Amino acid sequence: MIEVQQATPGTVDPDTLPRLSSGELDVMVIRGAFPQTQMNALIASIQENRLGLRLRPQESPSLGAAQVSVLGVPVSPSDMAPTGPDPGEYESQREAVRAALQSAGQGTLIDGMGWLLTLAGGRAAQLAPGYAPCTLRSVPSGRGMGPHCENLYHQIAVYAGLRAGTAILDQGSFFVVIDAGEAGGALRLYDHRWSPGAQNILSNPGPFVEVSAQAGDMVLLAAGRRFHSVSPVEGPRPRWTIGGFWAPTKDHQATWFWG
């Protein structure tokens, strides 16, 4: 049974990330992790195109503008890049999101996410060497994200450094809601779990629970093993999030995060 646990920055269980890695816990929502004013300022920067990053579609071009998109070069596979990003292009753009956030006065956001990962048991959480810290993602009205889990992709080329340095199959994900949109856009967690040789479950995802999060909330998810999706967004505003992934190092003395 999937249990949705909640906390505030002051009450986060310091064993949260180890419990997520072991499969004992599936999801933790840290309510009010970042102030609403900070999220308002960031969404204004995005809407006014002050970040200076190109919006990259992640789905079929036939969908036009109404598709899941990211700012910067995402590390994850997508319909447009099913084997992940070109490692050379990713390397050339990995500092772009950090620089854009700093230019918009949001330079502390990445540090704050790293601090919260440490608070949740990440043991000196630090940016994975050679990787970007996070991704900014937009899910527009009428669109969602289909069922998947991150362990399906652990062999992609751009993950070579992560396979060498982390227990990559124990990875999880994190994201902060910038704008939840008007309705919909809920995280769905499925009973189905990843196992070696597992395939995706698009045709029959099975039972799920929904996790709602509002602007400023941070969600920690056992995304490596637990299949998950995002329900279709409703209303005129897209759902905007910023986040990435984490995994313990192989010696379990630190936690690396990336995006």
Side-chain angles (χ1 to χ4, degrees):
M1 180 178 178
I2 300 171
E3 179 183 0
V4 180
Q5 295 196 1
Q6 302 183 53
T8 64
T11 62
V12 176
D13 183 346
D15 288 329
T16 297
L17 292 196
R19 291 173 64 210
L20 288 166
S21 288
S22 70
E24 179 185 348
L25 176 65
D26 291 305
V27 62
M28 171 67 75
V29 182
I30 305 176
R31 301 292 183 189
F34 294 89
Q36 179 74 57
T37 53
Q38 185 175 15
M39 298 300 97
N40 291 345
L42 181 52
I43 198 65
S45 295
I46 292 171
Q47 291 170 341
E48 295 166 13
N49 198 29
R50 286 190 270 119
L51 295 184
L53 297 173
R54 180 165 67 91
L55 194 64
R56 294 172 180 260
Q58 298 293 283
E59 300 176 287
S60 168
S62 65
L63 296 173
Q67 60 171 297
V68 178
S69 302
V70 300
L71 293 173
V73 179
V75 72
S76 299
S78 66
D79 289 352
M80 298 292 283
T83 59
D86 174 79
E89 183 184 18
Y90 180 84
E91 167 67 22
S92 70
Q93 295 294 314
R94 66 184 175 90
E95 287 300 318
V97 169
R98 183 192 297 275
L101 290 173
Q102 288 175 337
S103 69
Q106 295 283 342
T108 62
L109 184 55
I110 295 170
D111 293 338
M113 290 189 290
W115 174 75
L116 285 165
L117 289 173
T118 297
L119 200 66
R123 293 188 180 181
Q126 59 192 265
L127 179 60
Y131 289 84
C134 53
T135 298
L136 288 149
R137 177 171 282 109
S138 170
V139 182
S141 180
R143 304 300 302 170
M145 296 177 66
H148 63 286
C149 72
E150 309 313 321
N151 283 357
L152 292 172
Y153 318 127
H154 72 277
Q155 293 289 357
I156 62 175
V158 77
Y159 268 28
L162 298 168
R163 288 192 296 273
T166 71
I168 190 62
L169 294 180
D170 293 335
Q171 69 176 303
S173 68
F174 66 95
F175 66 87
V176 175
V177 179
I178 304 171
D179 187 341
E182 185 174 311
L187 173 67
R188 288 177 172 173
L189 302 183
Y190 297 88
D191 285 345
H192 191 73
R193 287 177 178 264
W194 175 88
S195 59
Q199 300 297 314
N200 216 331
I201 56 169
L202 289 173
S203 60
N204 184 27
F208 62 84
V209 299
E210 286 196 345
V211 181
S212 296
Q214 301 303 312
D217 292 347
M218 183 171 179
V219 179
L220 305 174
L221 171 66
R225 292 188 177 92
R226 179 67 73 180
F227 279 82
H228 55 285
S229 69
V230 175
S231 67
V233 171
E234 303 170 16
R237 300 200 320 273
R239 172 190 189 261
W240 276 98
T241 58
I242 181 170
F245 308 95
W246 55 267
T249 54
K250 287 189 172 180
D251 61 8
H252 290 270
Q253 296 305 301
T255 295
W256 286 1
F257 66 91
W258 67 92

